[in-house]
Amino acid sequence: MVSTAAVAIGAIAELTLDPNLKYNVLLPISIVMILTGLIRNYVMVLIRPNIPVMPRVKITEQQYINKGQILLQNGAVLTPDGFKMRKELMAKLLGEAQFVAVKQNNNAITNDAADQGATQQQKPENPLSDPNASDAMMSMAKGNLANYIPQTLIMWWVNHFFAGFVLMKLPFPLTVRFKEMLQSGVMTNDLDARWASSISWYFISMFGMNPLFNLILNDATLQSDVSGISNDPTMGMPGAAGGINPEQTMRELSNDITIAPYENGYEGLEEKILKIYS
Amino acid sequence: MEKDNNGNSTTASNDVLIKSTRSIQYNNQKLQYVQDATSLFSGCCCGILQLESLNGFTFFIIQYVSVAILFVIILCKGGKITNYFLNPIQDLIIENLFRELAGFLMTWTFVYALVV
């Protein structure tokens, strides 16, 4: 059992650990971590903001931009005439920026927006003043809190109750540099870094929990929250945060559409189909 | 795979790709589910077998790659991988590597410590 790495460091390699450690420390920590993860997930579902409220003009603007992009991407399925017609129409509409929710120069609101006019007067330059953006930021902050509070609590709990002894042996050797982190409460100078204390089990399981949660909560509605904070805020509301100037986007898109060549997706279709079914 | 993702990012013609973001996402999710399950399970195996250091990591690499290959053969029906994934190497191997490695390490250490 004595590995060569341990010998090289010069530690007395084999310790006998109390088997009760497994049942009284290792299992409780793991169970608590899994349960906290589950609870956090459901809490996130509960505090998730309702469907983000967007004024109709904003949605129109978003959808016209999307429409232009889709035309660029999937234009090949159209007939040449159809593509040309759509291309001209979209280039014109986007070029005039007719459906921009908040006009840049004259602050005029498009006729759709008469009812929303009062709230939409200012330019959405400052994301803090936009109610939607602040909503998104609130939910982001809540998500962060829901992540950090239990982490801090568990870390405190582990450090307080399970410190000062070696819990387990890692199956892989580590360099001496990890010693300080892994054996924080253990006062031995030349114990091999493979012997780890409970806080290191906490860290290992913290990083490894994601796949487990994916298996446990294999539910499309819940999954997005488990994967973490990193991709959440950007996915939530496309373009609503007011970072990009929609009018600019539209004009650029219009230019792109104007010069977009038509590729025929139906060329040689007969041969392809024959090849598939022959 | 179900009928939903069969026509995911189908090649329409020689160069023209028609993509459906939803299907691509669906495929990636399926792949991730398979990878999650297999890496956790192989971590358990490693722990039970009491594999140490390099042996364990080799085990992980072999199972990870073979799962990717099996995924292509069985679930993508051996067809063109590019019909299912935009850039296969990236999606099949690199993207989830560290996530799966962390999960593998977790179950490996856990079972290793339990079995000893």
Side-chain angles (χ1 to χ4, degrees):
Chain A
M1 281 295 280
V2 180
S3 73
T4 50
V7 170
I9 296 170
I12 307 152
E14 214 43 47
L15 300 179
T16 311
L17 297 178
D18 189 345
N20 280 334
L21 278 179
K22 294 171 202 165
Y23 307 117
N24 294 338
V25 182
L26 191 59
L27 283 180
I29 293 179
S30 321
I31 291 172
V32 163
M33 288 206 58
I34 293 176
L35 289 184
T36 342
L38 291 184
I39 291 172
R40 188 189 65 205
N41 191 70
Y42 287 114
V43 167
M44 290 285 283
V45 172
L46 286 182
I47 65 173
R48 182 158 48 183
N50 309 327
I51 303 144
V53 186
M54 275 172 140
R56 194 170 65 187
V57 271
K58 197 78 187 154
I59 296 176
T60 317
E61 167 197 298
Q62 203 62 48
Q63 285 183 342
Y64 266 93
I65 292 177
N66 280 349
K67 205 172 166 185
Q69 279 163 351
I70 290 170
L71 179 67
L72 274 183
Q73 259 177 26
N74 291 343
V77 291
L78 298 171
T79 57
D81 288 342
F83 183 78
K84 204 168 153 241
M85 268 164 61
R86 282 173 178 77
K87 180 174 146 178
E88 276 165 9
L89 178 69
M90 288 310 293
K92 182 162 158 282
L93 286 180
L94 290 175
E96 287 171 358
Q98 197 179 335
F99 293 105
V100 172
V102 181
K103 284 271 203 292
Q104 289 290 36
N105 32 20
N106 51 2
N107 255 0
I109 318 297
T110 40
N111 43 9
D112 275 348
D115 46 345
Q116 309 279 352
T119 53
Q120 286 293 316
Q121 278 293 341
Q122 81 279 36
K123 289 195 296 178
E125 253 183 4
N126 184 5
L128 288 170
S129 64
D130 189 2
N132 280 323
S134 73
D135 227 35
M137 282 173 77
M138 256 314 272
S139 69
M140 212 168 85
K142 273 189 214 156
N144 279 345
L145 276 187
N147 264 327
Y148 287 127
I149 290 178
Q151 269 180 26
T152 330
L153 278 181
I154 297 178
M155 219 159 122
W156 174 83
W157 175 66
V158 168
N159 253 337
H160 191 263
F161 286 99
F162 305 115
F165 54 85
V166 161
L167 170 66
M168 64 202 300
K169 189 184 175 196
L170 299 181
F172 45 89
L174 290 168
T175 52
V176 195
R177 217 171 280 176
F178 285 94
K179 220 171 122 60
E180 224 163 282
M181 192 185 87
L182 295 183
Q183 298 174 356
S184 53
V186 187
M187 302 297 177
T188 44
N189 285 328
D190 47 4
L191 187 62
D192 187 3
R194 287 178 68 173
W195 298 93
S197 65
S198 31
I199 193 71
S200 50
W201 167 242
Y202 165 75
F203 278 120
I204 292 176
S205 55
M206 189 181 76
F207 290 122
M209 278 297 167
N210 271 346
L212 192 61
F213 287 141
N214 187 10
L215 295 193
I216 297 175
L217 317 156
N218 192 27
D219 191 336
T221 55
L222 302 178
Q223 247 180 32
S224 59
D225 296 325
V226 186
S227 57
I229 25 169
S230 55
N231 53 6
D232 220 9
T234 48
M235 298 277 285
M237 294 160 71
I244 323 151
N245 179 1
E247 197 172 341
Q248 192 76 25
T249 320
M250 279 197 181
R251 289 196 196 289
E252 277 165 17
L253 199 59
S254 160
N255 287 342
D256 286 351
I257 290 176
T258 316
I259 58 173
Y262 172 69
E263 290 173 272
N264 195 345
Y266 296 117
E267 232 159 63
L269 191 64
E270 301 90 339
E271 284 102 71
K272 254 179 280 165
I273 288 180
L274 285 178
K275 209 194 286 173
I276 289 174
Y277 290 104
S278 61
Chain B
M1 291 192 181
E2 288 92 35
K3 60 180 187 320
D4 182 10
N5 63 332
N6 245 342
N8 35 33
S9 49
T10 333
T11 25
S13 83
N14 313 328
D15 300 312
V16 191
L17 265 178
I18 294 156
K19 295 167 216 149
S20 149
T21 334
R22 231 180 113 208
S23 305
I24 293 172
Q25 227 166 20
Y26 180 84
N27 285 348
N28 282 336
Q29 240 171 35
K30 273 273 172 280
L31 173 71
Q32 198 180 48
Y33 185 79
V34 170
Q35 280 178 336
D36 282 348
T38 48
S39 7
L40 288 182
F41 183 71
S42 70
C44 290
C45 294
C46 265
I48 293 169
L49 292 173
Q50 294 284 300
L51 296 183
E52 290 192 10
S53 57
L54 216 53
N55 288 338
F57 287 112
T58 324
F59 189 95
F60 172 73
I61 296 292
I62 291 174
Q63 84 61 34
Y64 191 69
V65 172
S66 51
V67 161
I69 292 172
L70 283 180
F71 188 88
V72 171
I73 292 176
I74 296 174
L75 289 184
C76 303
K77 304 199 177 71
K80 274 179 71 182
I81 317 169
T82 40
N83 282 0
Y84 294 87
F85 295 99
L86 280 183
N87 27 0
I89 297 295
Q90 169 85 24
D91 287 346
L92 283 168
I93 306 279
I94 298 168
E95 200 168 278
N96 288 330
L97 180 59
F98 286 102
R99 175 196 164 98
E100 308 308 339
L101 186 61
F104 171 80
L105 279 185
M106 184 186 71
T107 44
W108 184 18
T109 25
F110 184 70
V111 178
Y112 184 85
L114 279 188
V115 168
V116 161

